[in-house]
Amino acid sequence: MSVETADRVAAVTSSRPSTPLQTSWFEFLLDGSLLENHLQKSYPDPTPVQLIIQFLEQASKPSVNEQNQVQPPADNRRNRTLKLLALKVAAHMKWDLDSLEKGLTIPVLNMLLNELLCVSKVPPGVKHVDLDLSTLPPTTAMAVIIYNRWAIRTIVLSSFPEKQTKPGPHQMNMLSIVQQEKEMTDNILTVLKEQATDSISVLEGALQLKKDFYVHTLRTLDLLAADAAANGETESSTAGLRISADELHCQVHYDLGGIFFQQGCTDQTAYENARDHFRQTKELLTKLDSTVHVHLDEKRLAGYWNACKALTEDCDPSDSQNTPYNQINSLIRARNYQAVIEAFIKDNVSRSLPNNFRRSVLREFLYKVQQGESTLDEVCYKLCVCNAVRDALEGEVLSVRFQQLLLKPSKKMVDFILEVLSHLLMSQIIVSLKIFAGVTNAWDILETLCETLEELSLLFVVSSHKLFMELLKEEERKVLVEQLRKRSTTINLSAKPLPSFYDIPASASVNIGQLEQQLILLLEPRRIRQILVELHGMAERPFWKVNSKWEVPPDYINVILGIKDNLTKDLVYILMAKGLHCISIKDFAHARQLFSACLELVTEFSPKLRQVMLNEMLLLEVRAHETMAAEGSKERPPSDLVSRVRGYLEMRIHDLPLRQVVGKECVAFMLNWRENDYLTLQVPPSLVMNNPYIKLGQLLASTCKELPGPKECRRTAKELWDVVVQICSVSIQHKRNHDGRVGLIKQRESSMGILHRYAEPLVLTTLISLFVRLHSIDDIVNEVTAEHLTIWPSTLPNIQAVDVEAVAVTVKELVSYALTLNPNNQSWLITQADIYFVTNQYSAALNLYLQAGAVCSDFFTKAVPPDVYSDQVLKRMIKCCSMMNCHTQVAVLCQFLREVDYMTAFKALQEQNSHDAMDSFYDYIWDVTILEYLTHIHHKRGETEKRQIAIKAIGQTELNTSNPEEVLQLAAQKRKKRFLQAMAKLYF
């Protein structure tokens, strides 16, 4: 017994169950009846599509002659039989293109159908569009129809995005095979797209044939193989599988509809053709009793049909059979926007439209507004409100757009929100069902509305509406009203007083409540005093507690509460609290009125409070001027304001409560307006020693003043460095947080804390430079660059004592703040880009590197200065592109270096998984060596088209190495500018 036989016997007699041996492809060559028996099995192994692949793979293997030269596959009996076997398997599958397309690649299916054309005696060398299908034998005509159906289906399928599978390590040796198959697929698709018009014409011609069609079966293919003389008889007879005209027409209409729908994105009329074909597909489907030979996705057909009707305006709003989608689309086309809004309101009850469709309608209107149709603003906010109500009913979070609408609402908008809610809650569904989950969710919207609105008149509209009464119990209404009253300082304080939210029988408590409400709203000092007099005549209690939002600084609270007269105490407290609130919302005019009245009041009885108010009024004027500067004003502060700031800094009054923020902002004011001479020469030494803000301001001013001369400013820079290092250092007295780290940022004031609203660029540059240097000492590898780094010490004796985390946070916050003041400062942009780079945020880093180049070159119309795009910056840009898999951009940037980095460029060009536009960047390459390497790479990979693009780029006359140096430099500069502009469009 042979070894092979013994193995088979052992497999059969083994006590363990064994997997049946898979039938090999060559066994079908040896036994003619084996194929049909194999295909009749419930689960044949190999499967039919696997068999087709194996047969065609073996039939297309190249041969090698005696001289070891590779020859095309031989046209011998073996290969012809293998191709026929593949056709017989497809015939067993009844030429179902759906199944064949799922199991076979485009090159394999192309080979199979070309073989079908060959055996069906389709005249070679003749275009299919020139054939008269009505005169061809039935199976010949059917072969032409199947091929052209597949052609247009493949074009449509290839337009769908596909996720590329990334090969694993064990598949690396298969990359060349995969690449070859991809190129073959691309070539086939190119040909099919060129012939698409012809394929469409062939299929339209097939629709004119009203007779039945016949396609090859296993039996007819056997007849073809048995006798060449029988071929003609077989083709002319009706021996094949019969397919009725209606079945074929139904399938062809569907396929033609798909190709016309795909063409609609570039040709609007194609949608009408698609609609007509899909209509006839639907009609034929209803006509057919069975659809054995029709293979289509009816859900997809329905989607196509709805899309075509929407795109071709083929919708009648009065049609009772119309779907809700079509009704909405027809209303939009008819510009009947009010009807669209009403449909959305009704749909909140029926919920027949999916949320994603409703949102897409809103996005469409928002897009129209962006294109200039400002008249649609009202439609947009109304649709947004309708969608918000629907979201609430579904238990979803209210959209950000709806929340933004509530920031600046109008009475019209509030009325509409109430109208939508009323329609929902008064619907028959709600009436018939006493308990409805939507009621609670609808109340959520009402509550959100109440909590967001800041205008009292609008709050009154909501709280007096019948919904407010019906949805809430009396206790709940009172609780909400009380909450609204407590937060009323956030309401527009200049609003006129209004009645309370709902009527209560008149009583003394109501009068007090109304007076308190007016007290909260008013800003006119005389009226505030009058109301307080009335309140104190009705009740003796501390009215400065009426609003929990009224706050005065803790430094002053004891002095104010120490006032013996209760009326005066309330008045001083409330005037100061309202004034501080007005400053916070930049209402400086009202703040001046309130503070002036308070100053006049306290001058009568308290010199200490008089000085407090003078200090607060100084801070008010400083902030008012800073706000003007931040908004673009270049006007210097008046001399009297500068004198008052100096007077405050030098003031020494015993037992006077002082807020640190006043001194801090005064120092910042002097720095921002370059009062460096005062800070460096005129500040009393005792003041410098006792006030840390003055000391820090003096060091900053000295450093900024001497910056033009690095040698001179080294001493003052060293002093400033030592102070900042001390600020950022950890001392053993600091308490640790729960996680064991020292809370340095909370424990100490950072140097940027004295800069508010408006900041002098030189001061910011100096601080950025200092903190960047301190940051880089700790992490030399991830170095961040900035201006004037050389003036700071290069070492730190006790670096372990520095809170590295605090320094890193300060650098980020400081640079971010600086860029809000001047987004076009190239130095700050480079620093911010470096911060992103060292934290591995490569896309953001590249964006800012490009911005830095753009601002100093008029958007790259001029050359970027070499001090901006230094080799270090360029290498970081290269790494950013590399980490984002934009390898062609890497190769282009390698040319920008003083010495071209060929090694990095070549390595990048070897990468096949590039996420950039690849060959579209070849025009930006001016280095001939890189272009020659590109040509070699594409030739090696068999990438003919890309190789031609590289050859075309290298063949430009201006890149000829024999040209004068000036010509070559001009060519390089031109490509640099164009490349950087292209990159800016990508990343900005």
Side-chain angles (χ1 to χ4, degrees):
M1 181 185 295
S2 66
V3 174
E4 187 174 300
T5 307
D7 288 342
R8 286 181 177 271
V9 171
V12 173
T13 58
S14 173
S15 60
R16 293 177 297 174
S18 59
T19 303
L21 294 175
Q22 187 183 67
T23 308
S24 298
W25 62 269
F26 61 83
E27 296 182 55
F28 296 98
L29 286 174
L30 304 176
D31 185 352
S33 63
L34 181 59
L35 179 63
E36 194 164 352
N37 294 331
H38 179 80
L39 294 174
Q40 297 300 327
K41 295 178 181 178
S42 300
Y43 300 101
D45 187 17
T47 63
V49 289
Q50 289 174 341
L51 278 177
I52 293 175
I53 294 170
Q54 291 176 14
F55 291 149
L56 293 180
E57 185 182 62
Q58 295 299 324
S60 60
K61 274 189 175 180
S63 57
V64 180
N65 62 12
E66 295 177 355
Q67 288 78 31
N68 285 329
Q69 295 174 331
V70 178
Q71 301 292 323
D75 184 16
N76 51 32
R77 182 181 176 185
R78 168 189 176 275
N79 287 348
R80 286 195 299 272
T81 304
L82 285 169
K83 292 177 184 177
L84 189 65
L85 288 171
L87 291 173
K88 291 171 76 172
V89 176
H92 168 77
M93 298 173 68
K94 298 181 180 178
W95 304 99
D96 178 5
L97 288 181
D98 275 352
S99 300
L100 291 171
E101 287 164 347
K102 289 175 184 176
L104 303 178
T105 62
I106 290 177
V108 173
L109 194 45
N110 179 62
M111 188 187 308
L112 177 73
L113 295 182
N114 273 291
E115 192 60 31
L116 173 65
L117 295 174
C118 182
V119 300
S120 300
K121 303 300 181 184
V122 176
V126 180
K127 289 186 176 180
H128 292 179
V129 71
D130 296 331
L131 297 173
D132 184 357
L133 295 181
S134 62
T135 63
L136 294 177
T139 52
T140 305
M142 194 62 188
V144 173
I145 293 171
I146 290 174
Y147 178 84
N148 287 281
R149 275 187 56 219
W150 168 75
I152 64 172
R153 288 164 63 98
T154 302
I155 294 171
V156 173
L157 287 173
S158 67
S159 66
F160 299 155
E162 289 185 1
K163 183 178 180 181
Q164 298 293 327
T165 56
K166 190 173 181 180
H170 62 287
Q171 295 174 303
M172 295 304 290
N173 58 338
M174 297 294 291
L175 282 178
S176 59
I177 299 174
V178 172
Q179 184 66 28
Q180 290 175 11
E181 184 173 311
K182 182 179 181 300
E183 290 179 11
M184 289 174 62
T185 301
D186 291 342
N187 292 335
I188 293 169
L189 284 172
T190 301
V191 174
L192 294 180
K193 289 174 183 177
E194 291 173 355
Q195 299 175 353
T197 305
D198 289 350
S199 294
I200 292 170
S201 298
V202 169
L203 295 177
E204 288 176 338
L207 295 174
Q208 305 306 314
L209 303 178
K210 304 304 180 185
K211 61 183 180 179
D212 290 342
F213 296 84
Y214 294 86
V215 67
H216 277 300
T217 62
L218 274 74
R219 179 171 174 271
T220 60
L221 291 170
D222 277 334
L223 291 173
L224 286 175
D227 189 352
N231 289 353
E233 296 177 10
T234 305
E235 291 157 13
S236 302
S237 70
T238 57
L241 176 65
R242 175 181 170 275
I243 299 176
S244 70
D246 284 345
E247 284 182 302
L248 182 70
H249 290 172
C250 180
Q251 186 69 65
V252 170
H253 277 305
Y254 178 74
D255 294 338
L256 285 172
I259 189 71
F260 280 125
F261 189 87
Q262 189 224 13
Q263 293 174 353
C265 58
T266 56
D267 179 11
Q268 184 67 25
T269 59
Y271 286 128
E272 297 177 4
N273 291 335
R275 177 200 61 198
D276 295 339
H277 282 292
F278 288 132
R279 176 187 288 118
Q280 294 181 71
T281 303
K282 288 165 64 70
E283 291 173 356
L284 287 169
L285 272 177
T286 57
K287 178 181 176 182
L288 293 169
D289 294 332
S290 62
T291 56
V292 176
H293 303 296
V294 178
H295 304 283
L296 54 85
D297 185 342
E298 294 195 34
K299 288 185 178 179
R300 193 177 193 83
L301 173 61
Y304 270 136
W305 176 243
N306 287 329
C308 287
K309 290 178 72 176
L311 292 165
T312 59
E313 305 182 7
D314 187 27
C315 296
D316 180 7
S318 62
D319 185 1
S320 60
Q321 299 299 318
N322 249 343
T323 64
Y325 300 94
N326 295 335
Q327 291 172 1
I328 296 294
N329 285 321
S330 63
L331 291 171
I332 292 173
R333 281 194 302 274
R335 304 183 74 83
N336 190 353
Y337 302 136
Q338 183 58 37
V340 175
I341 295 167
E342 290 172 0
F344 271 49
I345 294 174
K346 293 176 182 176
D347 185 67
N348 283 340
V349 177
S350 62
R351 304 196 206 181
S352 57
L353 293 173
N355 275 341
N356 55 1
F357 175 74
R358 292 169 58 113
R359 291 168 189 151
S360 69
V361 172
L362 174 58
R363 283 195 296 270
E364 183 177 343
F365 280 101
L366 290 170
Y367 176 75
K368 289 180 179 180
V369 171
Q370 289 176 353
Q371 298 302 307
E373 295 188 44
S374 57
T375 55
L376 297 179
D377 279 332
E378 183 178 345
V379 179
C380 288
Y381 88 68
K382 287 187 175 181
L383 291 178
C384 183
V385 168
C386 291
N387 286 349
V389 173
R390 174 64 178 275
D391 288 340
L393 293 175
E394 302 285 349
E396 297 185 14
V397 178
L398 298 180
S399 69
V400 174
R401 186 172 298 280
F402 178 70
Q403 302 281 8
Q404 290 174 333
L405 283 178
L406 295 184
L407 295 178
K408 294 183 178 179
S410 62
K411 183 178 184 302
K412 195 173 182 181
M413 183 191 300
V414 173
D415 288 340
F416 181 74
I417 295 173
L418 295 172
E419 176 191 341
V420 175
L421 290 172
S422 297
H423 182 276
L424 173 70
L425 298 175
M426 300 308 165
S427 65
Q428 290 300 316
I429 295 177
I430 307 303
V431 172
S432 60
L433 300 176
K434 297 299 182 183
I435 300 175
F436 181 60
V439 173
T440 303
N441 295 331
W443 160 241
D444 290 341
I445 287 190
L446 204 60
E447 187 177 25
T448 301
L449 193 60
C450 291
E451 291 176 350
T452 309
L453 293 178
E454 295 188 355
E455 190 173 332
L456 193 62
S457 60
L458 296 179
L459 276 173
F460 181 70
V461 169
V462 176
S463 61
S464 60
H465 197 274
K466 61 181 179 179
L467 283 174
F468 197 84
M469 305 299 178
E470 293 176 2
L471 286 177
L472 292 180
K473 298 176 183 178
E474 184 178 355
E475 295 78 10
E476 293 173 331
R477 292 200 302 271
K478 289 182 178 179
V479 169
L480 181 59
V481 169
E482 180 63 21
Q483 290 174 350
L484 297 176
R485 190 183 67 77
K486 286 182 178 178
R487 70 172 184 86
S488 57
T489 46
T490 62
I491 297 171
N492 181 5
L493 296 180
S494 61
K496 294 181 179 179
L498 291 169
S500 58
F501 289 109
Y502 45 85
D503 295 329
I504 302 175
S507 66
S509 61
V510 172
N511 292 333
I512 290 178
Q514 289 177 339
L515 289 173
E516 287 179 344
Q517 188 178 64
Q518 291 185 40
L519 185 64
I520 291 171
L521 298 174
L522 287 172
L523 289 174
E524 205 278 307
R526 293 177 62 85
R527 181 62 180 146
I528 292 172
R529 182 169 187 163
Q530 181 182 349
I531 290 176
L532 277 173
V533 170
E534 292 181 34
L535 286 170
H536 275 272
M538 300 170 70
E540 277 298 325
R541 64 176 189 234
F543 288 100
W544 61 270
K545 294 182 178 181
V546 163
N547 192 330
S548 61
K549 298 289 185 179
W550 284 339
E551 292 181 357
V552 298
D555 309 83
Y556 305 152
I557 191 72
N558 291 332
V559 179
I560 295 175
L561 295 184
I563 299 173
K564 294 181 179 180
D565 181 66
N566 290 330
L567 174 61
T568 305
K569 181 194 305 179
D570 287 341
L571 187 55
V572 171
Y573 189 100
I574 292 171
L575 290 174
M576 179 177 282
K578 283 180 175 286
L580 291 171
H581 173 76
C582 287
I583 294 174
S584 69
I585 62 174
K586 299 182 181 179
D587 184 359
F588 298 113
H590 280 113
R592 289 187 182 96
Q593 292 179 16
L594 293 161
F595 278 0
S596 297
C598 192
L599 175 64
E600 181 182 351
L601 176 64
V602 298
T603 300
E604 299 175 1
F605 65 90
S606 175
K608 186 181 292 186
L609 278 175
R610 177 181 180 276
Q611 189 59 53
V612 164
M613 289 311 305
L614 287 173
N615 294 345
E616 290 299 319
M617 293 180 75
L618 172 62
L619 180 59
L620 161 64
E621 298 303 330
V622 167
R623 287 188 172 174
H625 203 276
E626 286 175 344
T627 300
M628 290 171 55
E631 292 172 353
S633 172
K634 301 296 182 182
E635 184 180 349
R636 284 192 60 82
S639 57
D640 68 313
L641 178 58
V642 176
S643 298
R644 288 167 61 194
V645 170
R646 291 183 180 185
Y648 176 83
L649 293 176
E650 297 173 9
M651 180 180 61
R652 281 291 172 270
I653 299 178
H654 180 67
D655 199 26
L656 178 68
L658 296 175
R659 282 209 293 159
Q660 281 193 340
V661 67
V662 183
K664 183 166 60 175
E665 296 208 20
C666 284
V667 173
F669 176 83
M670 301 297 278
L671 284 171
N672 289 336
W673 293 104
R674 295 198 175 187
E675 294 289 332
N676 293 337
D677 287 340
Y678 172 77
L679 288 172
T680 56
L681 302 175
Q682 301 174 26
V683 178
S686 59
L687 187 59
V688 175
M689 297 300 295
N690 296 325
N691 191 325
Y693 292 113
I694 295 288
K695 175 65 176 176
L696 188 59
Q698 184 186 64
L699 292 173
L700 270 169
S702 299
T703 305
C704 292
K705 186 178 178 181
E706 299 173 0
L707 256 186
K711 292 183 179 178
E712 290 78 4
C713 73
R714 296 257 180 177
R715 181 180 58 80
T716 53
K718 176 66 166 60
E719 292 181 19
L720 177 60
W721 170 270
D722 291 340
V723 169
V724 173
V725 168
Q726 184 182 1
I727 291 174
C728 296
S729 295
V730 181
S731 66
I732 58 173
Q733 284 81 16
H734 288 139
K735 294 183 179 180
R736 296 187 173 268
N737 297 327
H738 294 299
D739 58 359
R741 295 180 303 169
V742 176
L744 177 62
I745 300 175
K746 293 182 179 179
Q747 296 287 340
R748 292 176 177 265
E749 292 281 352
S750 73
S751 57
M752 75 172 178
I754 65 172
L755 298 174
H756 289 275
R757 296 170 187 80
Y758 167 73
E760 158 62 26
L762 187 59
V763 176
L764 275 176
T765 298
T766 303
L767 283 172
I768 289 171
S769 176
L770 190 157
F771 277 98
V772 163
R773 184 61 180 156
L774 189 56
H775 179 268
S776 298
I777 285 180
D778 175 64
D779 192 354
I780 299 175
V781 177
N782 294 323
E783 183 179 4
V784 178
T785 57
E787 289 184 283
H788 312 305
L789 289 178
T790 56
I791 68 173
W792 312 110
S794 56
T795 59
L796 200 60
N798 189 14
I799 194 171
Q800 291 79 13
V802 175
D803 190 329
V804 177
E805 182 183 354
V807 172
V809 169
T810 304
V811 169
K812 293 176 184 176
E813 293 294 331
L814 195 54
V815 177
S816 297
Y817 170 68
L819 286 173
T820 62
L821 301 177
N822 183 4
N824 295 326
N825 186 304
Q826 66 196 46
S827 171
W828 298 346
L829 285 168
I830 292 289
T831 302
Q832 181 70 78
D834 284 343
I835 291 171
Y836 282 136
F837 180 83
V838 300
T839 53
N840 303 327
Q841 300 177 70
Y842 299 111
S843 178
L846 186 58
N847 174 288
L848 287 167
Y849 285 133
L850 289 168
Q851 282 191 50
V855 298
C856 64
S857 62
D858 292 340
F859 198 75
F860 304 116
T861 56
K862 303 173 185 175
V864 180
D867 60 326
V868 177
Y869 276 2
S870 61
D871 269 11
Q872 179 180 346
V873 170
L874 290 170
K875 286 177 180 178
R876 291 189 166 187
M877 292 172 70
I878 287 169
K879 184 173 180 181
C880 289
C881 293
S882 178
M883 296 304 293
M884 293 186 293
N885 286 336
C886 297
H887 302 297
T888 318
Q889 296 171 14
V890 169
V892 178
L893 283 170
C894 285
Q895 304 171 109
F896 283 59
L897 298 167
R898 288 190 179 87
E899 296 291 335
V900 181
D901 188 351
Y902 290 112
M903 183 175 295
T904 302
F906 292 167
K907 184 177 179 182
L909 294 174
Q910 289 173 5
E911 298 285 347
Q912 295 192 12
N913 185 26
S914 188
H915 293 173
D916 55 25
M918 296 185 70
D919 47 11
S920 66
F921 285 106
Y922 292 178
D923 283 341
Y924 305 128
I925 301 177
W926 65 86
D927 189 281
V928 176
T929 305
I930 294 177
L931 286 170
E932 288 174 344
Y933 184 77
L934 261 176
T935 308
H936 165 71
I937 282 288
H938 291 316
H939 175 72
K940 185 177 178 182
R941 295 176 184 165
E943 298 168 345
T944 308
E945 292 183 9
K946 293 179 181 178
R947 179 173 176 269
Q948 289 301 321
I949 296 172
I951 291 173
K952 182 180 178 182
I954 203 174
Q956 297 176 76
T957 54
E958 58 188 346
L959 297 185
N960 192 319
T961 52
S962 301
N963 288 335
E965 185 63 25
E966 296 80 6
V967 174
L968 295 175
Q969 286 296 325
L970 187 62
Q973 288 300 327
K974 182 176 72 173
R975 284 163 175 77
K976 281 184 179 181
K977 294 174 186 176
R978 286 172 47 222
F979 172 72
L980 290 171
Q981 287 172 346
M983 291 284 281
K985 290 177 182 177
L986 282 175
Y987 291 100
F988 281 6

